[in-house]
Amino acid sequence: EVQLVESGGGLVQPGGSLRLSCAASGFSFRTYWMSWGRQAPGKGLEWVANIKQDGSEKYYVDSLKGRFTISRDNAKNSLYLQMNSLRAEDTAVYYCARGMNGYEEYYDFWGQGTLVTVSS
Amino acid sequence: EIVLTQSPATLSLSPGERATLSCRANQSVSRFLAWYQQHVGQAPRLLIYDASNRATGIPARFSGSGSGTDFTLTISSLEPEDFAVYYCQQRKNWPPLTFGGGTKVEIK
């Protein structure tokens, strides 16, 4: 069974940093593109970033470039999101998602999400 | 950036009725469009990809159509578990991958 379990969310002050993790199981993690998305409270979905199977390609939404960094460790079946200089508008549930095989920009499995709250 | 506009924002229907949801792009996305379902407090679930292909395990009452700038998700006969929020997403021109604002299907 495919499982994606996010962790690392919590309350952080404006300007602070947080590192999210996503533990993957039930599939060959190293063969899939992976992504982070987010959803602000009561709002819609927003794509954040994605990363190729071997980590050689990474793409971000423009508004987050320079502050957020996506990475992966295939030996640990894990995906990460390093978030720096956090702002109130970064408050959201952050989801880890798997790119569908052959259609990598569609997401066929999502984790349950981890809540990040940026507030003083 | 491709902007996706979904309508209506809310659809009030009864179980057994047909639901028709719209997604319009501000420029052509060919057929590179997906639909997701999301229940409150849950993760999104992929329903349709490339405009009309049902994802694995998705019931046949869900169908997608359209190309270019206009797309439709149809639920032929609403089941109780279908009341949720639905999002469209494009992959034609990225980054960024973009989502529509969502349509909430609620019980009338």
Side-chain angles (χ1 to χ4, degrees), chain A residues 30-93:
Chain A
R30 66 179 64 246
T31 66
Y32 285 85
W33 280 76
M34 296 296 296
S35 181
W36 287 99
R38 69 182 182 178
Q39 188 169 34
K43 301 297 184 183
L45 297 168
E46 180 183 26
W47 174 78
V48 170
N50 64 359
I51 184 169
K52 196 176 178 180
Q53 290 94 329
D54 61 1
S56 61
E57 295 180 35
K58 304 175 184 181
Y59 301 94
Y60 300 88
V61 65
D62 275 353
S63 60
L64 298 177
K65 235 183 262 186
R67 292 197 299 125
F68 286 19
T69 302
I70 190 171
S71 63
R72 65 192 294 163
D73 185 337
N74 288 341
K76 295 183 177 179
N77 290 337
S78 292
L79 178 72
Y80 306 102
L81 185 68
Q82 178 67 42
M83 305 187 296
N84 298 331
S85 303
L86 284 161
R87 306 166 182 167
E89 55 264 35
D90 296 320
T91 294
V93 174

Side-chain angles (χ1 to χ4, degrees), chain A residues 39 103 105-107 110-111, chain B residues 32-33 36 38 50 89 91:
Chain A
Q39 188 169 34
Y103 301 84
E105 300 85 19
Y106 298 138
Y107 300 103
W110 299 63
Chain B
F32 298 125
L33 189 109
Y36 297 83
Q38 187 181 33
D50 277 1
Q89 178 232 322
R91 69 168 186 132

